[in-house]
Amino acid sequence: MALLTTVFAAITCTIIWYCTAPKSQMKIGILCFMYWGASIMWFVDAVFEYARIHEKYFNPAPADMLNDFYLGLSVVALGLVIWLVILLVKDPKGAVKSALFKKKD
Amino acid sequence: MACFLVPAAEAVITTVASKVIKSKESSPETVHISLDDSTVTEAVKTPFSQKLKWLSNLLWGGSSLLAFEHVWHGEVVPWFPFISVADNPADIAMMFNEMLTVGVTMAVLVTAVWGGILAISNVIEKRAVKSADILQLK
């Protein structure tokens, strides 16, 4: 479930990036790289897990599935927080800078 | 247990490499391209240091989210020595085995995917330059 959640987040971010590129200054690319990187790594983890427990991998207990989905959502939230911090620090639109400084008349 | 440390180590190497390459790179090559097959515009090619940054972004992003998963499962703890199984030699051996198998495969697959992205971007770049050449000849 964590893998699926992250893959869907990666696909959604990539679609948003494509729709808003090349003019967007929102740095959606960072989110894409982050979620795709995590998806690839979790995919490898899933393959090794499948090699270990075979078909049981596809029949998790409902409680495990729910916990894994909760983990997936938390990972997506953490990714969004990291992206938001990078966006505010880099401030490509100058919004933070203009909030900190007042123009002199 | 600590498989994310392998891609994280690669991320450190690629970040340093990207900064070193950037400092040694000459000004990016200017080319004529066509984005819509009807007009020609002047553009600069994406330098290799920038493309290497794509790989470090994939590695940093992936390993940081994976590190969070390890905290979630109690395998990584916020106190020294940061790995919960560190006091059991048998578990440490298992951890290194996991790093050598799962961790290395993760790093290799991410790098392979990045290689694929590079190959596709090369084809797209060449196609844009070629269609501009055709338009300029007309």
Side-chain angles (χ1 to χ4, degrees):
Chain A
M1 279 305 266
L3 168 64
L4 256 184
T5 316
T6 320
V7 167
F8 277 115
I11 291 169
T12 310
C13 290
T14 310
I15 292 170
I16 294 171
W17 173 81
Y18 189 84
C19 291
T20 56
K23 284 175 188 162
S24 175
Q25 295 178 310
M26 296 297 286
K27 297 200 170 288
I28 304 286
I30 291 171
L31 266 182
C32 295
F33 281 124
M34 207 157 33
Y35 290 145
W36 278 122
S39 300
I40 295 165
M41 290 179 196
W42 259 315
F43 172 73
V44 171
D45 212 28
V47 170
F48 275 91
E49 189 72 359
Y50 177 77
R52 199 171 59 87
I53 60 171
H54 305 292
E55 68 278 356
K56 278 183 193 165
Y57 178 79
F58 298 107
N59 298 303
D64 291 341
M65 229 164 89
L66 191 69
N67 184 265
D68 231 27
F69 180 57
Y70 186 29
L71 167 66
L73 286 182
S74 306
V75 162
V76 172
L78 177 68
L80 286 170
V81 169
I82 294 171
W83 165 73
L84 204 59
V85 170
I86 293 172
L87 186 71
L88 293 178
V89 169
K90 294 207 169 176
D91 193 20
K93 292 177 94 175
V96 178
K97 279 179 215 113
S98 59
L100 291 171
F101 293 99
K102 255 187 181 173
K103 272 187 184 171
K104 224 175 174 183
D105 295 323
Chain B
M1 282 175 194
C3 52
F4 67 94
L5 289 178
V6 180
E10 192 189 342
V12 173
I13 294 166
T14 53
T15 305
V16 173
S18 156
K19 288 199 188 300
V20 170
I21 291 169
K22 194 180 177 182
S23 67
K24 288 181 179 173
E25 252 168 1
S26 52
S27 55
E29 189 187 340
T30 308
V31 285
H32 286 95
I33 57 158
S34 175
L35 298 173
D36 52 4
D37 289 332
S38 59
T39 52
V40 176
T41 46
E42 205 176 49
V44 285
K45 269 190 166 181
T46 306
F48 183 72
S49 61
Q50 182 63 34
K51 290 179 178 175
L52 196 59
K53 216 175 158 192
W54 299 344
L55 176 60
S56 35
N57 283 347
L58 275 172
L59 291 163
W60 276 123
S63 48
S64 58
L65 295 184
L66 232 72
F68 174 73
E69 187 231 331
H70 286 72
V71 174
W72 182 280
H73 288 132
E75 293 162 353
V76 171
V77 285
W79 52 83
F80 190 78
F82 306 110
I83 311 258
S84 58
V85 297
D87 49 352
N88 188 345
D91 285 340
I92 290 176
M94 212 164 83
M95 183 186 85
F96 279 117
N97 182 52
E98 200 194 76
M99 282 168 74
L100 283 172
T101 51
V102 184
V104 170
T105 313
M106 280 173 178
V108 168
L109 189 63
V110 171
T111 312
V113 168
W114 172 72
I117 295 171
L118 277 195
I120 293 166
S121 67
N122 257 354
V123 170
I124 295 169
E125 281 170 355
K126 278 181 185 163
R127 207 191 291 160
V129 172
K130 201 176 173 184
S131 62
D133 288 345
I134 292 168
L135 281 172
Q136 280 174 330
L137 283 174
K138 275 182 186 173

